[in-house]
Amino acid sequence: MGQFNAKILAEYTPPRSWSLHRELSYTLTDVTVDEIDCLKAIGVQVVRDTNKTETISVPKGFVTDLASVPRAAWAFIAPWDVARSAIIHDLLYKAIRKYRWKNDKEDKDLVKKAKKVADKVFLCGMNDANPAVPSWKKYSAYYAVVLFGRWSIIPNESNI
């Protein structure tokens, strides 16, 4: 079972952004060495600690929109329902975009695998959330990023 280091401490900056006021980290337990290597290959800083677990940290100052849930759906899944997992996921998607932006000859298989791992980490984070996220919310959010996240990993000057 993975673990977050803390609750979110962030400031809202209209119209849709939050800026972290302290680091948020997530210790992974349900990912393979191959999946960790994939994240490292696209530039994600993954730190191995003395317990031989890997941790992904989102730095203070990182700007996120939490979960990209359309406003009309907030009655069912609000961005803050899955916020910590979404912030980690945003960091991973940003790493994919940066990798793609920097590499004229990107490894398309690596990008595809990195997206799959990022989405898995998002689900794992929701599984490890406290308070618990109801299953229907977890899987609705997870399948939404699986289906629609491909557009979020396309880099442009405003999202890298």
Side-chain angles (χ1 to χ4, degrees):
M1 186 168 175
Q3 184 174 347
F4 290 95
N5 69 324
K7 302 269 186 213
I8 300 166
L9 180 59
E11 180 179 345
Y12 178 64
T13 53
R16 293 188 187 113
S17 297
W18 295 82
S19 178
L20 292 185
H21 280 266
R22 74 171 164 221
E23 178 182 278
L24 175 69
S25 64
Y26 178 58
T27 301
L28 307 163
T29 56
D30 298 325
V31 292
T32 66
V33 172
D34 188 46
E35 290 169 332
I36 293 294
D37 289 344
C38 174
L39 293 177
K40 288 179 178 179
I42 62 161
V44 176
Q45 296 285 334
V46 182
V47 176
R48 181 168 219 161
D49 67 15
T50 56
N51 296 328
K52 296 184 180 178
T53 58
E54 277 77 24
T55 300
I56 296 172
S57 295
V58 182
K60 177 182 176 181
F62 184 80
V63 176
T64 177
D65 67 350
L66 301 179
S68 303
V69 178
R71 179 76 180 188
W74 282 18
F76 306 104
I77 302 175
W80 44 87
D81 290 340
V82 296
R84 286 186 291 177
S85 302
I87 293 169
I88 301 294
H89 190 252
D90 281 357
L91 178 82
L92 299 178
Y93 267 27
K94 185 170 188 164
I96 295 170
R97 289 192 303 269
K98 282 184 174 182
Y99 167 82
R100 296 182 79 188
W101 185 263
K102 291 179 187 176
N103 293 286
D104 293 333
K105 296 180 182 179
E106 70 182 51
D107 181 340
K108 293 189 186 304
D109 289 333
L110 177 62
V111 169
K112 187 176 181 178
K113 185 173 182 180
K115 183 197 176 300
K116 188 174 181 178
V117 174
D119 295 348
K120 178 182 177 178
V121 169
F122 179 54
L123 179 60
C124 290
M126 289 186 290
N127 286 333
D128 296 332
N130 184 7
V133 178
S135 289
W136 69 270
K137 283 187 183 186
K138 284 190 284 198
Y139 290 101
S140 296
Y142 171 71
Y143 287 114
V145 298
V146 167
L147 292 172
F148 303 113
R150 66 178 166 258
W151 290 289
S152 295
I153 61 170
I154 298 170
N156 61 55
E157 289 186 19
S158 67
N159 71 6
I160 54 166

